[in-house]
Amino acid sequence: MIRRRSPEDVPAPAQSVSQEWFTSLFADKADPWDLATKWHDRRKFGVTVASLPRQRYRSGFEPGCANGELTRLLAPRCAALLAVDFVESAVEAASEATRDLPHVRVQHARLPEDLPAERFDLVVVSELLYYLSAADMAVLVDGLVDRLEPGGDLVAVHCRDDRRRVYDGANVHAALRRPRTLEPLVHYEDEAFVLDVSRRRSSVGPVRRWLGTRGGACSA
């Protein structure tokens, strides 16, 4: 049974989780969250890809790609796909995972500072936003929506953990549903994760800036 949650029942972290913390995770283990083997994540990724409204996209963007497990599943749905992460070993792993896919680019980028200049008709953000402070999340979400073409789809999927009082998918997705530039298309949640698919409206104009909620993340 899914527990009802208040969007602001847990505050966002005061500071974004550091690059050093993520780097140490990958130094200790090549797949820190067992994304390649854990049923929870295999199921979540399967639901994510099945929820894409279009069969094919011109250009996709995946920020925070980790070792490329979701990247490989998104690749057949995109004519071109850019995946980025700010941990060098994760970039190397994702590059290796997609080396047989010439239309996939994997690059090092620190977000929100290093968002690409190009535009996309698909952006997929998975298990990233709850690691960010409210200010950084606001900047990143605004930047992602700015880079969506009119009619482009923004997909967000994050775990929820009702057993502990942590800032998780239930919190960040409540904030994601606020911008007027985004039209909700798909919402799914269960006891394990929350998924939202939104489409950028073509008649609203520039992004309407939003303020994130006011830390922590789900357990691996």
Side-chain angles (χ1 to χ4, degrees), residues 35 62 87 143 184 200:
L35 300 179
E62 183 195 3
V87 177
R200 179 163 185 178

Side-chain angles (χ1 to χ4, degrees), residues 3-220:
R3 182 169 69 84
R4 294 181 64 85
R5 296 276 301 277
S6 166
E8 298 184 357
D9 59 358
V10 180
Q15 293 184 325
S16 297
V17 177
S18 70
Q19 182 174 358
E20 291 73 23
W21 186 82
F22 285 102
T23 299
S24 67
L25 284 184
F26 280 91
D28 292 339
K29 189 176 182 180
D31 185 3
W33 298 281
D34 298 317
L35 300 179
T37 57
K38 198 191 315 179
W39 164 243
H40 161 83
D41 291 296
R42 305 313 301 171
R43 171 177 170 268
K44 177 182 62 182
F45 291 161
V47 173
T48 301
V49 174
S51 298
L52 298 180
R54 298 191 175 111
Q55 182 177 1
R56 189 80 168 160
Y57 289 87
R58 179 189 64 81
S59 183
F61 177 49
E62 183 195 3
C65 66
N67 56 6
E69 291 297 324
L70 180 56
T71 314
R72 283 197 62 86
L73 297 177
L74 294 172
R77 305 290 293 273
C78 300
L81 177 62
L82 171 62
V84 304
D85 204 285
F86 71 169
V87 177
E88 290 287 359
S89 55
V91 172
E92 293 171 3
S95 297
E96 177 65 20
T98 58
R99 64 176 178 172
D100 59 331
L101 302 170
H103 67 295
V104 176
R105 292 176 292 146
V106 182
Q107 297 178 355
H108 180 271
R110 183 180 181 87
L111 301 176
E113 297 93 331
D114 298 332
L115 280 168
E118 57 201 280
R119 304 289 294 279
F120 306 92
D121 59 350
L122 176 67
V123 173
V124 180
V125 54
S126 172
E127 307 298 354
L128 172 63
L129 296 179
Y130 49 60
Y131 289 113
L132 302 179
S133 67
D136 283 346
M137 184 167 71
V139 172
L140 178 58
V141 172
D142 284 346
L144 294 177
V145 176
D146 273 336
R147 283 155 181 78
L148 266 182
E149 298 174 352
D153 294 334
L154 173 65
V155 181
V157 57
H158 294 80
C159 70
R160 59 181 292 156
D161 189 348
D162 293 343
R163 300 166 300 172
R164 304 181 299 151
R165 287 185 57 81
V166 295
Y167 186 71
D168 63 7
N171 303 110
V172 298
H173 281 243
L176 274 174
R177 291 192 285 270
R178 292 175 183 174
R180 290 179 56 250
T181 45
L182 298 177
E183 175 188 1
L185 296 182
V186 178
H187 174 72
Y188 172 82
E189 63 181 302
D190 60 24
E191 70 278 4
F193 65 90
V194 186
L195 179 143
D196 280 287
V197 181
S198 303
R199 180 160 293 167
R200 179 163 185 178
R201 302 180 193 272
S202 57
S203 59
V204 176
V207 171
R208 179 185 176 91
R209 306 298 169 187
W210 62 279
L211 297 177
T213 61
R214 285 182 305 120
C218 303
S219 57

